[in-house]
Amino acid sequence: MKKVKYGLSALGLAIGMAATGVSMSVSAAEPTLSEADFEKAQLHYFQRCAGCHGVLRKGATGKNLEPKNMLKKGQKRLEKIISLGTEGGMNNFDDLFSKKEIANLATFIQMTPPVPPEMSLEQMRSHTKEFVAPKDYPTKPLHGLNWKNFFVVIERDAGTAAIVDGDTKKVIAHIDTGYAVHVIKGTEHHKIDHAKDVGRFWYTIGRDGKVNKIDLWQTPEKMLVAETKMAYDARDIAVSGDGKYVIAGGYWPAHFVIMDAVTLNPLKVVTTRGYNTKGEYVKEARVAAVYTSPNKSEFTVAVKETGQMLQVDYSDLDNLTITSIASSEFLHDGFYDPSGRYFQIAANASNKMVIVDTETGKLEAQIDVDSLPHPGPGANWIDEKCGPVGGTTHLGTGLVSVWGNDPIGHPDNAWKMCYEVETDGAGAFIRTHETSQYVWADQLKHPEPEIQQSVQVFDKKTREIVKTIRVTTEPGKAALHMEFNNDGSEVWVSVWNRKDAKNPTGEIVVYDAKSLKELYRIKGLTTPTGKFNVYNRMNHKT
Amino acid sequence: MKKVKYGLSALGLAIGMAATGVSMSVSAAEPTLSEADFEKAQLHYFQRCAGCHGVLRKGATGKNLEPKNMLKKGQKRLEKIISLGTEGGMNNFDDLFSKKEIANLATFIQMTPPVPPEMSLEQMRSHTKEFVAPKDYPTKPLHGLNWKNFFVVIERDAGTAAIVDGDTKKVIAHIDTGYAVHVIKGTEHHKIDHAKDVGRFWYTIGRDGKVNKIDLWQTPEKMLVAETKMAYDARDIAVSGDGKYVIAGGYWPAHFVIMDAVTLNPLKVVTTRGYNTKGEYVKEARVAAVYTSPNKSEFTVAVKETGQMLQVDYSDLDNLTITSIASSEFLHDGFYDPSGRYFQIAANASNKMVIVDTETGKLEAQIDVDSLPHPGPGANWIDEKCGPVGGTTHLGTGLVSVWGNDPIGHPDNAWKMCYEVETDGAGAFIRTHETSQYVWADQLKHPEPEIQQSVQVFDKKTREIVKTIRVTTEPGKAALHMEFNNDGSEVWVSVWNRKDAKNPTGEIVVYDAKSLKELYRIKGLTTPTGKFNVYNRMNHKT
């Protein structure tokens, strides 16, 4: 065993040091893998485990998986956990990985975590590609379709985005994107900045950090107009109110990158590594989410492991002003209230909704909710008693929590729990529309197929569940994520083909928003996930 | 040879990657040291080398000393360089270290650099000590002396601060501080904030990150009132305009810490790791300097390796707003112009003076100067032709550069070179006073004792050197750092006893500011370095 250790005497240490130095040790007791198996286990870990546990395995939504803890559990116990999952929220992987792959993963997490490399601005820039020159962009839509009712749909396991015409329900394009795109965002109407051609350009972010730009005015085969890469692992993206900048957040390296929205050329990179709310340094301080403030020239950046909400003023990138608002770990996903002033975000492992006042740049409130809140796109509506409210589903329990979110009009109810609705299963997404009397919640995280394949709908007035809709009955499929069409008359629900994830056997099921009856099934989609109606996303209200 | 490597496939890498992964390798070819020799070499490296080369040895003011480069040079060549120095600016160490110590240092830098540990807010707080309870602080000075003409003097190699009475020239106290204190600062008059008892409390920062608080109203034996530790390696400190907060900057960990100025309890820690102006990630991004803006509730933090000037608004620590102004690497030391609006700082390895406009929070200008500018406390005065000007000495050459610094009154001369004065040797410190017709520059960096022991004085009107003053003729001693007394009638110059650094054989020589004749020698000081006259520092004008 060879040790390289930082001696304490050199640092003039005397008292109160918990850590007695950093050791990099390569122990003879550490299990080993062949180079090929190591590479493969590392890839599997990156694709399926790192999201919750981190590449350095310090833990976040999932537990700490550092060797010191894993060696104690041992090979057999680890294989069992990976195969079957746990009651604590760990998924089973026996349907995705072979026995050998699971054994290798169990060995891999007993070995020292490899540290991925950094990525410089120059390296990012080397990935920037132009497929259509900006001077050749059309001056009006070339396809004669009602593009403002297009749905931009993530096809997760295909690494593509589908463009679906909301009027005809036709899939008009499958566009190459990064791996397992998490979010796609377009320009929105903004209070003070004014993007040209709002809703026309859309930006995808892959799990692999690849950024793609889509022009909805192009003919389908030319819609992909530019590409770059801003990290090795990433989750979210947003466009500035003026449409000039795109921001994307990295999981590794832990940073955000601001790009030219025309060319996608990376302009500025800022690390998010830093101290959590307890004052402990976090190297893997991942950007969980980025958003554009509807009322200010600011991006909102949520740093998962540090619990810091960053308000990033994009009006001067060379002299960049950022307000770091200390809230709670581990920040995940959020949404603005209808006024655009308050940002509501889940600190999921803290079981809190964090509220930021973007007008003052200060923490407004923290609301205790239940296990692992996860609102996805979120939902805002008017409650008869509480006034304006927001709501979230939970990854850890079948519950929708609803809180008042109008501190000016309804100060007594603001940031307090208004009511809760129990659902049959834990879910990831909630959605409504200003014209709808209903709120929809999925139950993606429930282990029973019957519940996982059903979404539940409750009435804004009675606060009661009025319908449970079984979206699919096919084995290995799950229902998730709702989106309304442009006029709020339809609700689109995704059906994941989890067991057959590489083939276009997923679908979107369209329901009548009033009668709640099924209208259409849009076939030929591969693991359709998040979907974004152009008109609704341009005009964020709910 | 055991390798732990991050495979590229897991990261979805295809093109344009310069680094092909990070390897932690322990090579059989790497030279070794016994544990005792390693610890000692590490300590010597930390004390004498890390300042210029970095603990991770990436280089800054000094060259990169990573094993890949050092192994090429080999043991004998490295021993020679450490012993004798180089023409490139590397000091000789044969007078400080034995042959065996030099051999061990040469071996040490061929080995993998040990990474020092992080430090959490809780660890810092465990070092906080109260020697005098704030409730027991006196309500008026207890010693009947003219404390506003005290000089607070760094006794570098003793780890103490001397308090010298400027009226009587008596050393009234030696106060225990951290190791090799770099800077001591007190409260100053501020345009909008108002500290109580301005000039009374002084704060020291040791190279070991130890922070001490001195109360000049106390009797000498009780002047040390509180202590804490905010890093393992640190360089600068400042007090907020309202006297409520102390900020100190760390070399390792690379962060700044804001403390309660009454108790010294650490309140907030912010990392300075991040991207340099080329967009490359820097782990060892050290805080070279911290200052208080005279006109705003802001600290100015200079990050050496990233070239970022941070304007830190201290009015709300929980929702902390920072503007990062991208300038040039490697930032070192600076000073405000007399209006308090413009901050002038050396980016020394870029041979530039960087000017920040604190009113707008933007980069104002960058002025090309000569090799390694280093102003120390700096000097501002009025030039007959250019109007208000600032000046700097250079570590790399015997030259004082003088530039216009009044963009409102003298826009044609602002941030342009006004004139240069050649001196006999490279120096570290320049100083003047509003009542003085002269500017003083030391020549600390010149290898010849005769020049290193002399300071030069030039006339503001004629721009010519009028006198070269040999401050000491004793072997192994050097002259450095000038400070005026309260009314500007005296200039105090330090004499370092470099060869006998553990004993009180250093001195301060006091000159008549008009006749330039020697008046006194204040004896009994150990390596006196920076010194700060209370009245002058309360009323920053020059």
Side-chain angles (χ1 to χ4, degrees):
Chain A
M1 183 151 156
K2 167 87 181 156
K3 272 198 168 185
V4 183
K5 187 175 155 189
Y6 211 90
L8 300 186
S9 59
L11 303 172
L13 295 180
I15 54 159
M17 271 286 298
T20 56
V22 168
S23 299
M24 294 189 295
S25 47
V26 180
S27 161
E30 190 174 89
T32 56
L33 287 171
S34 73
E35 196 165 324
D37 283 346
F38 184 88
E39 287 262 330
K40 201 170 170 196
Q42 182 176 248
L43 178 64
H44 288 154
Y45 182 86
F46 175 71
Q47 291 178 332
R48 298 289 176 178
C49 318
C52 289
H53 300 283
V55 292
L56 303 181
R57 308 197 207 130
K58 301 270 184 194
T61 306
K63 289 194 175 168
N64 180 299
L65 303 184
E66 289 181 290
K68 61 183 177 197
N69 296 321
M70 295 303 96
L71 285 164
K72 276 183 220 153
K73 290 217 191 302
Q75 182 73 18
K76 287 291 155 216
R77 176 91 188 102
L78 291 173
E79 286 179 18
K80 197 173 167 197
I81 293 173
I82 298 168
S83 299
L84 306 178
T86 68
E87 303 236 321
M90 166 81 178
N91 291 346
N92 63 305
F93 287 95
D94 54 354
D95 57 344
L96 279 170
F97 294 134
S98 72
K99 282 199 172 170
K100 175 155 191 271
E101 287 169 340
I102 286 171
N104 286 346
L105 261 177
T107 306
F108 176 75
I109 58 175
Q110 296 172 72
M111 297 170 71
T112 304
V115 179
E118 303 299 330
M119 187 186 265
S120 70
L121 209 49
E122 197 180 307
Q123 287 170 328
M124 297 172 208
R125 285 175 182 156
S126 73
H127 294 277
T128 307
K129 292 178 200 166
E130 177 186 274
F131 302 120
V132 178
K135 68 176 173 50
D136 298 330
Y137 285 4
T139 53
K140 58 179 185 183
L142 296 181
H143 42 55
L145 300 170
N146 177 20
W147 64 277
K148 287 191 182 170
N149 197 29
F150 282 0
F151 285 69
V152 183
V153 181
I154 295 167
E155 294 188 283
R156 208 187 64 155
D157 290 9
T160 55
I163 309 297
V164 183
D165 181 351
D167 288 4
T168 65
K169 315 297 185 277
K170 281 192 182 145
V171 181
I172 64 168
H174 297 277
I175 298 168
D176 283 335
T177 63
Y179 159 76
V181 162
H182 200 77
V183 169
I184 305 180
K185 288 191 191 146
T187 43
E188 299 170 16
H189 287 296
H190 194 274
K191 194 172 172 184
I192 58 164
D193 290 334
H194 300 284
K196 216 180 140 204
D197 309 327
V198 174
R200 168 183 180 178
F201 295 109
W202 286 73
Y203 300 87
T204 71
I205 179 78
R207 284 253 341 232
D208 52 5
K210 202 185 266 190
V211 175
N212 288 95
K213 178 181 179 182
I214 296 169
D215 179 358
L216 294 183
W217 286 11
Q218 281 280 5
T219 50
E221 71 282 4
K222 282 195 170 179
M223 282 182 173
L224 179 62
V225 296
E227 180 176 300
T228 195
K229 182 176 168 81
M230 48 61 68
Y232 304 114
D233 189 5
R235 287 297 184 285
D236 206 358
I237 195 161
V239 199
S240 63
D242 58 10
K244 287 185 185 160
Y245 300 118
V246 174
I247 183 173
Y251 261 30
W252 192 279
H255 64 204
F256 64 82
V257 176
I258 298 175
M259 291 153 276
D260 181 320
V262 176
T263 63
L264 290 188
N265 204 41
L267 301 173
K268 184 88 185 180
V269 52
V270 177
T271 192
T272 51
R273 289 173 184 153
Y275 290 86
N276 67 15
T277 63
K278 294 172 205 75
E280 297 156 340
Y281 183 72
V282 182
K283 186 170 182 185
E284 193 170 358
R286 304 180 292 182
V287 177
V290 292
Y291 307 86
T292 301
S293 170
N295 301 350
K296 296 185 87 171
S297 302
E298 284 182 351
F299 293 122
T300 293
V301 175
V303 187
K304 187 186 285 288
E305 281 82 2
T306 60
Q308 298 289 332
M309 291 293 302
L310 311 182
Q311 294 298 114
V312 181
D313 180 343
Y314 55 72
S315 64
D316 185 347
L317 301 189
D318 292 327
N319 305 286
L320 190 70
T321 298
I322 300 177
T323 299
S324 297
I325 301 165
S327 62
S328 293
E329 297 81 10
F330 292 75
L331 296 168
H332 193 75
D333 58 338
F335 59 110
Y336 275 90
D337 83 308
S339 79
R341 173 170 176 174
Y342 300 101
F343 189 67
Q344 313 164 111
I345 183 165
N348 63 14
S350 297
N351 301 335
K352 285 185 200 304
M353 290 299 298
V354 166
I355 314 299
V356 165
D357 181 350
T358 61
E359 194 169 305
T360 60
K362 293 185 192 298
L363 182 68
E364 169 81 3
Q366 299 198 81
I367 308 169
D368 288 317
V369 291
D370 214 304
S371 171
L372 301 175
H374 187 288
N380 296 303
W381 67 94
I382 311 287
D383 180 76
E384 283 193 0
K385 288 181 190 147
C386 297
V389 293
T392 187
T393 30
H394 294 78
L395 298 177
T397 186
L399 189 76
V400 172
S401 294
V402 181
W403 59 88
N405 66 7
D406 178 24
I408 291 153
H410 297 76
D412 291 348
N413 301 318
W415 319 128
K416 289 174 192 157
M417 199 60 71
C418 173
Y419 66 98
E420 292 176 328
V421 179
E422 282 187 29
T423 62
D424 291 337
F429 300 104
I430 187 172
R431 196 71 177 147
T432 187
H433 190 275
E434 55 177 334
T435 63
S436 172
Q437 71 186 99
Y438 302 120
V439 179
W440 295 58
D442 72 13
Q443 303 178 112
L444 177 65
K445 299 298 284 183
H446 198 277
E448 291 298 320
E450 193 181 324
I451 296 174
Q452 197 184 56
Q453 293 174 344
S454 300
V455 297
Q456 294 197 301
V457 182
F458 68 88
D459 192 305
K460 291 177 182 173
K461 194 163 177 168
T462 65
R463 302 173 173 183
E464 301 284 340
I465 288 176
V466 294
K467 194 166 183 183
T468 300
I469 301 174
R470 182 81 179 256
V471 185
T472 181
T473 55
E474 287 184 66
K477 293 199 170 175
L480 72 155
H481 195 275
M482 292 69 57
E483 175 76 338
F484 285 74
N485 69 342
N486 58 345
D487 61 10
S489 62
E490 297 169 358
V491 181
W492 293 35
V493 186
S494 295
V495 175
W496 256 359
N497 46 325
R498 195 169 185 254
K499 281 223 173 175
D500 184 32
K502 295 287 174 198
N503 294 313
T505 53
E507 57 188 343
I508 289 173
V509 187
V510 180
Y511 294 90
D512 184 287
K514 277 202 177 129
S515 70
L516 308 180
K517 284 183 182 154
E518 184 179 318
L519 298 175
Y520 310 95
R521 286 191 174 247
I522 303 170
K523 304 270 186 184
L525 298 165
T526 304
T527 49
T529 311
K531 49 211 166 303
F532 309 92
N533 177 269
V534 173
Y535 181 85
N536 279 337
R537 299 293 171 149
M538 283 164 56
N539 302 284
H540 174 77
K541 285 180 186 165
T542 49
Chain B
M1 183 154 155
K2 167 86 182 155
K3 270 199 170 187
V4 183
K5 187 175 157 191
Y6 211 90
L8 299 186
S9 60
L11 302 172
L13 294 181
I15 57 160
M17 271 286 299
T20 56
V22 167
S23 299
M24 294 188 295
S25 47
V26 179
S27 161
E30 189 174 269
T32 54
L33 287 172
S34 72
E35 195 165 326
D37 282 347
F38 184 88
E39 288 262 328
K40 201 171 169 193
Q42 182 176 247
L43 177 64
H44 287 153
Y45 182 86
F46 175 71
Q47 291 178 332
R48 298 289 174 178
C49 319
C52 289
H53 300 283
V55 291
L56 304 181
R57 308 193 207 134
K58 301 270 184 195
T61 306
K63 289 196 174 167
N64 180 300
L65 302 184
E66 290 180 290
K68 62 183 177 198
N69 296 322
M70 295 303 98
L71 285 164
K72 276 184 222 155
K73 288 217 189 305
Q75 182 73 19
K76 286 292 154 213
R77 176 91 187 103
L78 291 173
E79 286 179 19
K80 197 175 166 196
I81 293 172
I82 298 168
S83 298
L84 305 178
T86 69
E87 301 237 322
M90 166 81 178
N91 290 345
N92 63 305
F93 288 96
D94 55 351
D95 56 344
L96 280 170
F97 294 134
S98 71
K99 282 199 170 170
K100 176 158 190 270
E101 287 168 341
I102 286 172
N104 287 347
L105 260 175
T107 306
F108 176 76
I109 59 176
Q110 296 172 73
M111 297 171 70
T112 304
V115 179
E118 303 297 331
M119 187 186 265
S120 70
L121 209 48
E122 196 181 308
Q123 286 171 328
M124 296 172 207
R125 285 175 182 156
S126 74
H127 294 277
T128 307
K129 291 178 201 165
E130 177 186 275
F131 302 120
V132 177
K135 68 176 172 53
D136 298 329
Y137 285 3
T139 53
K140 58 179 185 182
L142 295 181
H143 42 55
L145 300 170
N146 177 20
W147 63 277
K148 287 190 183 172
N149 197 29
F150 281 1
F151 285 69
V152 184
V153 181
I154 294 167
E155 294 188 283
R156 208 189 66 156
D157 291 8
T160 54
I163 308 298
V164 183
D165 181 351
D167 288 4
T168 64
K169 315 296 184 277
K170 279 190 185 149
V171 181
I172 64 168
H174 296 278
I175 298 169
D176 284 335
T177 63
Y179 160 76
V181 162
H182 201 76
V183 169
I184 305 179
K185 287 190 190 147
T187 43
E188 298 170 16
H189 286 297
H190 194 273
K191 193 173 173 184
I192 58 164
D193 290 334
H194 300 285
K196 215 181 139 203
D197 309 328
V198 174
R200 169 184 179 176
F201 295 109
W202 286 73
Y203 300 87
T204 72
I205 179 76
R207 284 255 338 236
D208 51 6
K210 202 186 269 190
V211 176
N212 288 94
K213 178 180 179 183
I214 295 170
D215 179 359
L216 294 183
W217 287 11
Q218 281 281 4
T219 50
E221 71 281 5
K222 281 196 171 177
M223 282 182 173
L224 179 62
V225 295
E227 179 175 301
T228 194
K229 182 176 169 80
M230 49 60 70
Y232 303 115
D233 189 5
R235 286 299 183 286
D236 206 357
I237 195 161
V239 198
S240 63
D242 58 10
K244 287 184 185 158
Y245 300 117
V246 174
I247 183 173
Y251 261 29
W252 192 279
H255 64 205
F256 64 82
V257 176
I258 299 175
M259 291 153 276
D260 180 322
V262 176
T263 63
L264 290 188
N265 204 42
L267 301 172
K268 183 88 184 179
V269 52
V270 177
T271 191
T272 51
R273 288 173 185 153
Y275 290 86
N276 66 16
T277 63
K278 294 170 204 79
E280 299 156 338
Y281 183 73
V282 182
K283 186 170 182 185
E284 193 169 358
R286 304 179 292 182
V287 178
V290 292
Y291 307 85
T292 301
S293 170
N295 301 349
K296 295 184 88 172
S297 301
E298 284 181 352
F299 294 121
T300 293
V301 176
V303 187
K304 186 186 288 285
E305 281 82 2
T306 61
Q308 299 289 332
M309 290 293 302
L310 312 181
Q311 294 297 113
V312 180
D313 180 343
Y314 55 72
S315 64
D316 184 347
L317 301 188
D318 293 327
N319 306 286
L320 191 70
T321 298
I322 299 177
T323 299
S324 298
I325 301 164
S327 63
S328 293
E329 297 82 9
F330 293 75
L331 296 168
H332 192 76
D333 59 337
F335 59 110
Y336 275 91
D337 83 306
S339 79
R341 174 171 175 173
Y342 300 102
F343 189 68
Q344 313 165 109
I345 182 165
N348 64 15
S350 296
N351 300 336
K352 285 184 199 304
M353 288 300 298
V354 166
I355 314 297
V356 164
D357 180 351
T358 61
E359 195 169 303
T360 60
K362 293 186 192 297
L363 182 68
E364 168 81 3
Q366 299 198 81
I367 308 168
D368 287 318
V369 291
D370 214 303
S371 171
L372 302 176
H374 188 289
N380 296 302
W381 67 95
I382 311 288
D383 180 76
E384 282 193 2
K385 288 180 190 148
C386 297
V389 293
T392 187
T393 31
H394 294 77
L395 298 178
T397 185
L399 189 75
V400 170
S401 293
V402 181
W403 60 88
N405 65 6
D406 177 24
I408 291 154
H410 297 77
D412 292 348
N413 301 319
W415 319 128
K416 289 175 193 156
M417 200 60 71
C418 174
Y419 66 97
E420 293 175 329
V421 179
E422 281 185 30
T423 62
D424 292 337
F429 300 104
I430 187 172
R431 197 72 177 145
T432 188
H433 189 275
E434 56 177 332
T435 62
S436 173
Q437 72 186 98
Y438 302 119
V439 180
W440 296 58
D442 72 13
Q443 304 178 112
L444 178 63
K445 300 298 286 183
H446 199 276
E448 290 298 319
E450 193 182 325
I451 297 173
Q452 196 184 57
Q453 293 175 343
S454 299
V455 298
Q456 292 198 301
V457 182
F458 67 90
D459 191 305
K460 292 176 182 174
K461 194 163 179 169
T462 66
R463 301 173 173 184
E464 301 285 340
I465 288 175
V466 293
K467 194 167 183 184
T468 300
I469 301 174
R470 182 83 179 255
V471 185
T472 181
T473 55
E474 287 183 66
K477 293 197 170 176
L480 72 154
H481 194 277
M482 291 69 58
E483 175 77 338
F484 285 74
N485 69 340
N486 58 345
D487 61 10
S489 61
E490 297 169 357
V491 181
W492 293 36
V493 185
S494 295
V495 175
W496 256 359
N497 44 323
R498 195 170 182 253
K499 282 222 171 176
D500 185 33
K502 295 289 174 196
N503 295 312
T505 55
E507 56 188 342
I508 289 173
V509 185
V510 180
Y511 294 90
D512 183 289
K514 279 203 175 128
S515 70
L516 307 180
K517 284 184 180 153
E518 184 180 318
L519 298 176
Y520 311 94
R521 288 192 172 244
I522 303 169
K523 304 270 187 182
L525 298 165
T526 304
T527 50
T529 311
K531 48 208 168 306
F532 310 91
N533 177 268
V534 173
Y535 181 85
N536 280 336
R537 299 294 171 148
M538 283 163 57
N539 302 283
H540 174 77
K541 285 180 187 165
T542 49

